[in-house]
Amino acid sequence: KFPNVWELKDVPGRTLILIHSGNTHLDTHGCILVGNQYGMLNDIPAVLNSRVALNELRTLAKDWTEFDLTVEHGSWGTDG
């Protein structure tokens, strides 16, 4: 259904987590959105340049068959 994206597997209690383009929480239902900058869109916190960032990731990962992903909690849009 969603070509050219990645699916995260073996996440306890979750299924169908995708890495794809999008800007705000309105573009995802628990998936991971990529971007290369934080900002605001219509007064909503957002990742920006999402399609550009996803295409850069596709280029970087073109020969990968699988990879490990570590997600760390951080502060949204701050340096801390």
Side-chain angles (χ1 to χ4, degrees), residues 19-57:
I19 299 174
H20 61 83
S21 64
N23 299 109
T24 72
H25 71 280
L26 301 173
D27 300 321
T28 182
H29 297 282
C31 292
I32 297 173
L33 304 179
V34 297
N36 61 17
Q37 190 175 0
Y38 291 114
M40 300 290 283
L41 287 176
N42 300 319
D43 295 322
I44 300 172
V47 292
L48 305 177
N49 304 312
S50 186
R51 287 189 183 137
V52 170
L54 186 62
N55 285 330
E56 289 172 356
L57 184 56

Side-chain angles (χ1 to χ4, degrees), residues 37-39 45-47 71-80:
Q37 190 175 0
Y38 291 114
V47 292
V71 177
E72 297 180 12
H73 177 76
S75 298
W76 178 265
T78 68
D79 294 328

